[in-house]
């Protein structure tokens, strides 16, 4: 298996999971995966990774990995952001402050946009995490569609609220032809959080709400046998949540 591009289909949608590299946090490394979808004539990305400006040593490899599969940045017509954190939006601009995806329009939840515009106040960590969104995304506002919770982007592609990690955090729920893939974004960053719920709480705007959201969504995913895509798990971040004796675990494909 390629470590940078993983092909799959969800019903009629052709999808590729691309690695943007990884995030090196002191003491821990996280995957950074983006999903690309072809839906009819639409070419859609969820998130665009770190770009040139963040974690340049280990991440920012999305464009190269797309090109290896014959997909250019000009091909992308829609970019969905599950939230506004730096590792999800920083690929929007290059180091010359030019937009990287010339033909893209963007979708984000209205609640997340409101938080980006209002700013995280005196929360130092969130000010760092939201700096690129506040500096750059706002300048592209006329290219953004701001959507309510549970907005259906296209038939079979829906934004589902998962608030807590950030105020307007959303998952992308893909269903087609009787198949489903739930893109859970950052409701979990590390499988360690199954047994240590506060392991990554420093990343959350509202940790208590994030833990509650995670537990509810992942318990349901385990019960339903939902196929899951996790942004920060080891590439390609695809698998199932399993439950035994009240404890959840990750079962990678
Ligand atoms: Zn993230």
């Amino acid at each position: 298996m390629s470590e940078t591009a993983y092909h799959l289909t969800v019903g009629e949608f052709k999808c590729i999971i691309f690695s943007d590299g990884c995030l090196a946090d002191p003491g821990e490394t996280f995957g950074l995966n983006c999903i690309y979808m072809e839906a009819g004539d639409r070419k859609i990305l969820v998130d665009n990774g770190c770009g040139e400006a963040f974690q340049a040593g280990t991440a920012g490899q999305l464009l190269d990995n797309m090109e290896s599969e014959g997909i250019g940045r000009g091909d992308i017509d829609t970019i969905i952001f599950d939230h506004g954190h730096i590792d999800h939006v920083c690929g929007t601009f290059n180091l010359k402050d030019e937009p990287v995806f010339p033909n893209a329009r963007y979708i984000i939840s209205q609640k997340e946009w409101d938080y980006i515009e209002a700013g995280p106040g005196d929360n130092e960590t969130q000010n760092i995490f939201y700096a690129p969104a506040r500096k750059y995304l706002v300048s592209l506002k006329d290219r953004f569609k701001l959507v309510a919770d549970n907005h259906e982007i296209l038939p079979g592609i829906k934004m589902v609220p998962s608030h807590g990690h950030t105020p307007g955090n959303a998952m992308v729920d893909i269903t087609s032809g009787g198949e489903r893939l739930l893109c859970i974004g950052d409701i979990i960053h590390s499988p360690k959080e199954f047994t240590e719920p506060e392991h990554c709480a420093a990343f959350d705007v509202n940790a208590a709400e994030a833990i509650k959201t995670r537990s509810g969504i992942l318990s349901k995913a385990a019960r339903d046998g939902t196929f899951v895509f996790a942004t920060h798990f080891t590439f390609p971040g695809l698998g199932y949540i399993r439950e035994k004796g009240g404890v959840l675990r990750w079962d990678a494909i």
Side-chain angles (χ1 to χ4, degrees), residues 60-201:
Q61 298 157 14
L62 173 66
L63 287 184
D64 286 347
N65 293 336
M66 282 169 47
E67 253 166 49
S68 299
E69 298 293 322
I71 300 160
R73 58 199 180 94
D75 296 332
I76 303 297
D77 56 66
T78 305
I79 297 178
I80 302 166
F81 292 126
D82 45 37
H83 65 300
H85 273 172
I86 185 167
D87 52 317
H88 298 249
V89 309
C90 208
T92 308
F93 280 79
N94 63 21
L95 285 179
K96 295 179 194 155
D97 289 353
E98 297 159 343
V100 168
F101 298 90
N103 302 315
R105 294 193 170 272
Y106 303 86
I107 296 171
I108 195 167
S109 84
Q110 177 77 55
K111 287 184 182 129
E112 188 72 1
W113 185 268
D114 291 345
Y115 187 73
I116 290 169
E117 282 197 329
D122 57 5
N123 184 326
E124 236 173 85
T125 306
Q126 296 302 330
N127 273 306
I128 294 167
F129 288 174
Y130 274 102
R134 286 173 56 70
K135 183 173 177 194
Y136 293 117
L137 298 196
V138 171
S139 72
L140 289 177
K141 187 169 185 178
D142 61 339
R143 299 191 71 83
F144 268 83
K145 183 170 181 177
L146 309 178
V147 301
D149 289 348
N150 294 304
H151 174 79
E152 191 172 57
I153 293 164
L154 290 172
I157 303 178
K158 191 172 159 187
M159 300 270 280
V160 179
S162 52
H163 304 157
H165 175 57
T166 66
N169 206 260
M171 303 185 291
V172 180
D173 195 352
I174 307 167
T175 51
S176 175
E179 296 184 322
R180 181 179 180 207
L181 177 65
L182 183 62
C183 307
I184 59 173
D186 281 28
I187 68 165
I188 185 164
H189 297 79
S190 158
K192 286 184 185 172
E193 289 169 278
F194 289 125
T195 50
E196 302 168 44
E198 297 189 7
H199 179 68
C200 293

